[in-house]
Amino acid sequence: SDCPPRAIVYDSFDGMGLGALAADEGGSAAAGEVAAAEAAFARVFPTSTLEMHGLKAASGVPDQPRSDGETKRGAANRARHAAELFLGEHGVAPDFAVGLEGGVAEDDTFSTLGVGTDSLESFAWMAVLSSTGKWGFGRTGSFQLPAAVAELVRGGMELGEADDRVFNKSGSKTQEGAVGILTHGLIDRAKYYEHPMVLALIPFCNPELF
């Protein structure tokens, strides 16, 4: 998918934080996910310090999720698996485990409203799981994909690979991503993920309401 599978584990102790970010198959973590997670947690928990460590958390969904529900499920599965991995490695459950999953879905704007066009849209889900079993979710804004990209993705190609082919890039899914390419850098991947990550933390900064 355009935003590679990632999961973050956040464990706080006496004002200090320990976190883990799921890596891709090569063992590397994308800077966009790291920056978004660090920024979101810093804003919601300003007195804590977060340290990231890589984990390979499974999504349990196809590499390219193709619906809103499938993408959300992938994020939740990653958060749950990240928590399990952290517990196995450190012997203590993390306070928070977070999974990020990017996906695509068919958009029927024209068929429904009679304006615009039907298209393939891109988006991502953030899932947060606390050590008490509470969940929080946040979704990015969605945006239309160009017809040339959509055709390749509908044909079975992952979005990141399709972006590379159409825009003559290499490894764009771990760099600017589709959102960065199509906004000409106005919205980078870190900014794109940061706001929904903060939204996913709403239940945890309002415990009296959730």
Side-chain angles (χ1 to χ4, degrees), residues 3-59:
C3 67
R6 297 289 180 264
I8 303 148
V9 176
Y10 179 90
D11 179 36
S12 64
F13 178 73
D14 289 340
M16 298 299 292
L18 179 63
L21 184 67
D24 60 21
E25 293 180 357
S28 62
E33 282 86 343
V34 176
E38 289 180 337
F41 273 91
R43 292 172 66 181
V44 177
F45 303 107
T47 61
S48 297
T49 302
L50 181 65
E51 181 183 346
M52 295 284 185
H53 297 273
L55 289 174
K56 295 183 180 180
S59 71

Side-chain angles (χ1 to χ4, degrees), residues 52-159:
M52 295 284 185
H53 297 273
L55 289 174
K56 295 183 180 180
S59 71
V61 300
D63 290 340
Q64 179 59 75
R66 295 177 182 275
S67 71
D68 189 71
E70 191 171 61
T71 305
K72 191 173 186 178
R73 184 180 303 111
N77 287 344
R78 289 189 189 284
R80 185 183 293 110
H81 189 211
E84 294 170 353
L85 290 173
F86 189 88
L87 176 61
E89 292 182 9
H90 299 278
V92 59
D95 288 337
F96 301 97
V98 180
L100 288 75
E101 187 73 34
V104 298
E106 295 293 341
D107 171 59
D108 59 355
T109 295
F110 180 78
S111 298
T112 303
L113 304 179
V115 298
T117 60
D118 291 341
S119 63
L120 192 68
E121 63 177 7
S122 177
F123 53 87
W125 272 100
M126 324 284 134
V128 182
L129 172 63
S130 75
S131 59
T132 63
K134 181 184 292 187
W135 285 89
F137 292 91
R139 186 185 188 274
T140 65
S142 61
F143 57 94
Q144 293 183 343
L145 295 171
V149 174
E151 181 179 359
L152 293 174
V153 175
R154 289 187 178 114
M157 189 177 292
E158 287 188 47
L159 177 54

